[in-house]
Amino acid sequence: MGQAKRKKDAGARVSWCRTCTYCCELPEIGPLNKPMYRPCSHIEGGGCAIFGAPERPAACLAYHCAYLSARVTNSPERNRIPHPLDAGAYFHRDPVERVYVMFVDPARPLAWKTSDAAAYLRERIAQGFELLIFDRGRRMVVTSQPLFQAILDRDIVAFADQEGRPHDIESWALEAPRYNRPVD
């Protein structure tokens, strides 16, 4: 029996997030004036200190990454979508557009490429979805299988950095040292 099942059987609240806080660190959260790549000030003890509190913004209340959403809804895809900590990235489907949005962990930027996330997202692109990737201060829009394969084959971000191209996300320059990354 796994640790989560033992906790659940004992009556404890079990979070599928485990200690993942990517959605609290990597994206911009407007209601909290939190820029991209800066940890939310409410992260505490491997989770959200205002979880369930009235001051938690609606944007946070409503958000589920694809991994969490698949589990909450008991989706048939729940075993195909890797946990963000295992993938080194998290993603979600835009509720309106035919787009998946992925945020890559700057500390482990290549991990997602060898995880089940890559195969899952490849299938979504084949179905006509776009993929918007945020990776180490770069924003990439993937609309085709060949472009997705090129991103899998190469570290496009490292290449752009070597060429001295400016970053797409301004807050990256301030937060890059936390990830031991060079700044423009």
Side-chain angles (χ1 to χ4, degrees):
M1 179 184 312
Q3 180 181 5
K5 181 148 177 44
R6 281 192 296 274
K7 284 182 178 181
K8 185 177 178 184
D9 289 348
R13 180 179 169 268
V14 177
S15 171
W16 282 302
C17 298
R18 301 190 320 230
T19 59
C20 181
T21 56
Y22 284 164
C23 66
C24 304
E25 296 177 32
L26 300 177
E28 176 180 339
I29 303 174
L32 296 174
N33 295 318
K34 189 202 90 55
M36 289 182 80
Y37 302 109
R38 184 171 301 152
C40 176
S41 62
H42 299 290
I43 295 175
E44 187 176 287
C48 178
I50 59 172
F51 187 87
E55 60 268 26
R56 187 168 184 226
C60 296
L61 284 169
Y63 183 76
H64 287 163
C65 69
Y67 175 85
L68 182 58
S69 181
R71 271 136 191 85
V72 168
T73 63
N74 202 27
S75 166
E77 296 185 329
R78 70 185 173 280
N79 294 323
R80 297 192 59 232
I81 300 170
H83 189 281
L85 292 176
D86 297 333
Y90 80 95
F91 58 91
H92 65 272
R93 180 178 174 184
D94 185 280
V96 178
E97 304 292 328
R98 288 187 56 82
V99 175
Y100 276 81
V101 180
M102 180 172 65
F103 291 86
V104 177
D105 179 357
R108 300 173 46 225
L110 304 179
W112 73 271
K113 295 179 178 192
T114 57
S115 77
D116 292 338
Y120 185 85
L121 293 168
R122 180 188 305 279
E123 290 174 14
R124 304 291 87 69
I125 293 167
Q127 294 170 352
F129 285 90
E130 290 185 359
L131 174 61
L132 174 59
I133 302 172
F134 291 97
D135 184 0
R136 294 167 282 165
R138 307 281 178 195
R139 180 181 187 272
M140 297 174 276
V141 179
V142 180
T143 57
S144 68
Q145 292 286 346
L147 179 54
F148 187 66
Q149 189 60 51
I151 289 170
L152 290 176
D153 291 343
R154 297 174 195 82
D155 187 349
I156 303 289
V157 172
F159 180 76
D161 288 347
Q162 287 173 346
E163 287 197 338
R165 295 182 192 174
H167 287 96
D168 303 311
I169 312 298
E170 289 181 27
S171 58
W172 174 249
L174 298 172
E175 299 303 323
R178 285 184 341 119
Y179 301 104
N180 299 317
R181 299 288 306 157
V183 180
D184 286 338

